[in-house]
Amino acid sequence: MNVKYDLVIVGAGPAGLMAASAAVKEGLKIAILERKKEISKIHRSCGGVLNINEDTFGEVVHFDQGTGDLKFVNSGTTIRYDGPYQDLFGFCLYAPGGGRIEFGDFAELKKDPEKNRLGIALKKGRLIQIMLDEIIAAGVELFPNTNVVSVRKEQAGVVMECEDKRTFTGTFVIAADGINSRLARVMGMNKEREFYGTTRDTSIEIKGCACPASEGFLFMTTKKSIFSMIPLAEEGYYHVYASTFRRDEKPVEMLDYFLKEDPPFSQWYRDSEIIEQERTACVVTLMSPIKKPFKDNVLFVGDACWRREMSNVGSMNSGWKAGKCIAAALSSSNENEEGIPEYLDWYDKYYFIPWGVRKQGGRNFNEYLTYEDIDYLVGLCKDKLPPTLDIIKAVNFIGEYYGELMTQIYEERPDTMDRMMVFRENMEPDLEKRLKWGFKLV
Ligand SMILES: Cc1cc2nc3c(=O)[nH]c(=O)nc-3n(C[C@H](O)[C@H](O)[C@H](O)COP(=O)(O)OP(=O)(O)OC[C@H]3O[C@@H](n4cnc5c(N)ncnc54)[C@H](O)[C@@H]3O)c2cc1C
């Protein structure tokens, strides 16, 4: 029997679960369809960091370390997290010679973590399980091992067909199926999106690392690539990442090189233990975001409509808003686009207008600058930059800081300056290369 739901949510990641949590509190009949069998098992690379105390797409989350409460200030909801966590205080960029630019004085900030933390690295699987338990207890029907392959609008509602031929019908659907969204593709939403390339990422967990300042989101520049590392929820454990746009590079081999051979950084990992069973990977399609994330009563949230990964907090925030707006549409019997203007206006204000029209970056400056250039440039930064875990803010802080140093760089290192100019001028050719290496999802 094909049961009709008020709302069918596709995808039980942070965005879909938050949408379910918001909508079930308003009394909606909800099904959530998820292709994974074991929903709280994380296969896809994610650092598991939640941004705290810093605005993320119009939402701020506070963490009460006494109770474990994650308070979403603007949506007004709270999740009680009971797993391990570690504090993060900002970004940190390491040059090949070991010099670094810190966004915030970690040693000082960690004296008052409640006030100064900008993120917590938590067990994402545990967070997902807590959210799942809550929505199931509230009456949401969960269908794991359910891969949605097509969607169509009929008189009776929006019908989703699954790989095993089961169908589900909802008055509204929330597409929360992540960055390479099948729903976006089959509904033709990608046709008008600009394509910026495809990355392939891999990550491992390690135990033990001799990094001098590890309480941040770290980027390490090497001759081969830029690698990153984030502390995990348990003390002394870390995620290390490799990522590439190129087809001729293999992220697993790149990571192996970084950990075992790279001249300065492999020293950090001499006594590290790789936790083999915790390897994760992912493919990320970079596109311009969907301009209007609604079609035929399907509302897109989280990474499914975004330009790249929106972040856990960003996705949860959009899921929450979507769940609330659909409940409002149903209670006012506006079962169409007229019912959800609040979501569309809010998406425009916090997501599309500030970030949506930006071209995607992701260029490797180490393809242009030498080791010595990077060491020299990093060495020029004598101050701690303002603490942040917001990548756009971090780029702006660097731009402002180095903007003041341009004359000095030109006088001291004209060759470095020339290479910096070539880097700046090659934006378009670099994009062309990325497009050739990538796979557009249409
Ligand atoms: C390398 C890497 C590191 C990251 N680290 C961080 C970090 O530390 N902090 C942070 O905030 N963000 C991080 N992110 C981003 C973060 O993981 C995402 O923004 C977030 O998970 C998006 O949530 P979502 O619910 O929109 O999508 P997802 O988490 O991708 O969830 C989508 C769900 O939909 C399911 N699904 C997909 N297709 C179907 C289908 N056809 N039928 C049924 N179900 C389907 C999937 O199985 C999945 O469970 C990282 C991303 C990457 C790539």
Side-chain angles (χ1 to χ4, degrees), residues 9-17 33-36 39 44-51 56 120 124 128 143 146-149 175-183 199 201-203 217 228 230 239 241-243 281-284 301-305 308-316 318:
I9 299 169
V10 181
L17 292 171
L33 318 180
E34 166 57 56
R35 73 178 168 199
K36 289 199 285 184
I39 298 176
R44 196 181 157 74
S45 291
C46 179
V49 173
L50 277 201
N51 294 73
T56 310
I120 55 170
K124 186 166 174 179
I128 296 278
F143 297 88
T146 302
N147 187 18
V148 176
V149 291
D177 55 340
I179 193 95
N180 308 316
S181 167
R182 185 194 285 260
L183 264 64
T199 69
D201 300 20
T202 194
S203 81
F217 191 148
S228 56
I230 319 181
H239 257 145
Y241 295 91
S243 173
C282 69
V283 171
V284 177
V301 299
D303 285 3
C305 52
R308 56 177 315 141
E309 312 85 22
M310 188 179 257
S311 80
N312 294 314
V313 171
S315 297
M316 290 162 97
S318 75

Side-chain angles (χ1 to χ4, degrees), residues 21 25 73 100 126 148 185 215 299 335 338 354 369 386:
S21 170
K25 287 188 172 89
V73 174
R100 63 180 188 262
R126 180 64 201 142
V148 176
R185 186 158 51 83
E215 295 98 345
L299 187 57
E335 294 173 359
E338 281 164 28
L369 302 180

Side-chain angles (χ1 to χ4, degrees), residues 199-203 227 241-257 279 281-282:
T199 69
R200 288 173 297 124
D201 300 20
T202 194
S203 81
F227 296 85
Y241 295 91
S243 173
T244 184
F245 282 101
R246 302 175 67 110
R247 288 222 194 150
D248 58 349
E249 286 184 334
K250 298 191 171 81
V252 172
E253 285 176 12
M254 289 163 68
L255 200 52
D256 218 43
Y257 153 84
R279 283 184 186 265
C282 69

Side-chain angles (χ1 to χ4, degrees), residues 81-86 121-123 126 233-234:
Y81 174 71
D82 60 6
Y85 72 91
Q86 280 204 80
L122 43 66
K123 282 239 168 254
R126 180 64 201 142
E234 290 98 348

